Amino acid sequence: MLSIILLAGLGLASHATAACSRTLLKDIVTSYITAQTTGNLSSLPLGTTVTYIENDILTDLTKGVLAKGTSIDFHRSVYDEVDCATYTELNTATSSHPYVIHTRIGLGADNKIAIIDSVVSDDGDWIFDAKLHLNFTKAEKWDPIPKEKWDARDVIKAAGDAYLNQWGSVNLTVPLGTPCTRLEGGLYTGSRDPAANTCRMPAFPQPLKVAKRRYVIDQELGTVGILNDFPWLEATLTNGSTPSSNMFRVEGGLIRYIHEVTVCATRQCGR
């Protein structure tokens, strides 16, 4: 029988002790997509114990969104062969319950699933619009990058971190490319001028420290997915934070695309 480990810390890294093949990780994602589509968890190669986190809450795997079958209109995944982890963005815009979900899956030393960590957004969450999100994400190009043009893992990670770190230090240099476009909920910054850099962020009312970062890095796709906790945005949580996820496409050391999903405790985070 599957048992769910309830762990206090959410900043949980992969349990794996060795690198994984890309083929194995793609198989893991296929099993995840099948489970989310059918609501049947039997497709998942689960380890003896599994940690399931949904919107920063340790949850029974059989009671979360993964156990609720839903049609999927689009999904995009990245594969971290070093840390034995995957990161998937999926959109269910035309289902009876539209979602945009970012999920990190980490494998154990037995190459079975040890942790599933999801940021699940739906109606009322920050700028949520699954149909607009679907239209914009499908139009983007996240093709594999020729190996001779791969950025180093630390370069990809540093680009994502710099973007999040600027929220606490407005003068910090962020490696934004031109063009650069941000998809935040259903808001697309590149709608008016797709060839421009529209990823620059204005200063927040106060410096922010983005905590509990959980990474998945894929050199072939030039991507880092970072699950994190977004402080300040939720108006009812003066000193708290809300579940969030940022997905970055990096080309030649510069950020090309940013996808952000943020969950609110109150409608539109009370803003």
Side-chain angles (χ1 to χ4, degrees), residues 7 11 14 20 27 50 66 72 75 88 94 105 142 157 171-172 201-202 205 214 223 230 239 253 259-260 269:
L7 298 179
S14 172
C20 298
D27 288 344
V50 178
L66 188 53
I72 296 174
H75 60 87
T88 298
T94 63
I105 297 176
W142 296 60
K157 179 177 180 291
N171 294 320
L172 183 70
M201 289 284 292
R214 292 93 79 195
T223 300
F230 189 168
N239 296 313
H259 288 192
E260 181 175 316
C269 294

Side-chain angles (χ1 to χ4, degrees), residues 73-74 90-95 97-101 121-123 127-138 183 185-187:
D73 294 285
F74 185 81
L90 61 84
N91 182 301
T92 73
T94 63
S95 70
H97 189 143
Y99 292 105
V100 176
I101 302 173
S121 67
D122 61 3
D123 182 51
I127 325 178
F128 181 84
D129 190 317
K131 289 184 178 180
L132 286 178
H133 181 281
L134 177 63
N135 291 338
F136 292 130
T137 191
K138 287 175 67 175
L183 177 55
L187 174 66

Side-chain angles (χ1 to χ4, degrees), residues 107-126:
L107 305 188
D110 58 359
N111 285 337
K112 295 185 182 297
I113 294 173
I115 180 169
I116 303 174
D117 191 353
S118 293
V119 174
V120 181
S121 67
D122 61 3
D123 182 51
D125 287 324
W126 185 245

Side-chain angles (χ1 to χ4, degrees), residues 41-258:
L41 303 178
S42 64
S43 67
L44 297 169
L46 300 173
T48 304
T49 54
V50 178
T51 300
Y52 179 64
I53 302 167
E54 188 171 302
N55 291 342
D56 283 359
I57 299 173
L58 292 159
T59 304
D60 187 327
L61 186 58
T62 64
K63 296 180 180 178
V65 70
L66 188 53
K68 302 174 183 176
T70 179
S71 60
I72 296 174
D73 294 285
F74 185 81
H75 60 87
R76 174 182 285 116
S77 294
V78 298
Y79 312 95
D80 192 327
E81 298 161 72
V82 174
D83 285 343
C84 291
T86 68
Y87 181 101
T88 298
E89 176 183 75
L90 61 84
N91 182 301
T92 73
T94 63
S95 70
S96 59
H97 189 143
Y99 292 105
V100 176
I101 302 173
H102 284 189
T103 293
R104 178 188 182 276
I105 297 176
L107 305 188
D110 58 359
N111 285 337
K112 295 185 182 297
I113 294 173
I115 180 169
I116 303 174
D117 191 353
S118 293
V119 174
V120 181
S121 67
D122 61 3
D123 182 51
D125 287 324
W126 185 245
I127 325 178
F128 181 84
D129 190 317
K131 289 184 178 180
L132 286 178
H133 181 281
L134 177 63
N135 291 338
F136 292 130
T137 191
K138 287 175 67 175
E140 293 179 345
K141 293 189 65 175
W142 296 60
D143 297 337
I145 296 171
K147 191 166 186 178
E148 64 273 15
K149 295 184 178 180
W150 286 6
D151 287 306
R153 284 175 60 87
D154 59 351
V155 169
I156 298 170
K157 179 177 180 291
D161 276 336
Y163 180 82
L164 297 179
N165 290 343
Q166 73 171 323
W167 299 352
S169 178
V170 69
N171 294 320
L172 183 70
T173 299
V174 181
L176 300 175
T178 301
C180 181
T181 319
R182 186 175 75 251
L183 177 55
E184 184 175 351
L187 174 66
Y188 200 61
T189 64
S191 295
R192 292 186 179 181
D193 190 354
N197 171 10
T198 57
C199 292
R200 298 191 188 280
M201 289 284 292
F204 285 96
Q206 63 192 60
L208 306 180
K209 183 178 181 180
V210 181
K212 297 180 181 176
R213 302 183 191 186
R214 292 93 79 195
Y215 301 88
V216 177
I217 302 169
D218 185 335
Q219 289 179 270
E220 184 174 323
L221 293 175
T223 300
V224 56
I226 310 177
L227 272 65
N228 59 83
D229 279 11
F230 189 168
W232 175 79
L233 183 63
E234 174 55 57
T236 63
L237 300 174
T238 306
N239 296 313
S241 56
T242 189
S244 186
S245 178
N246 293 78
M247 185 178 187
F248 301 88
R249 164 79 170 197
V250 180
E251 300 174 357
L254 302 176
I255 297 173
R256 173 63 182 90
Y257 297 119
I258 303 169

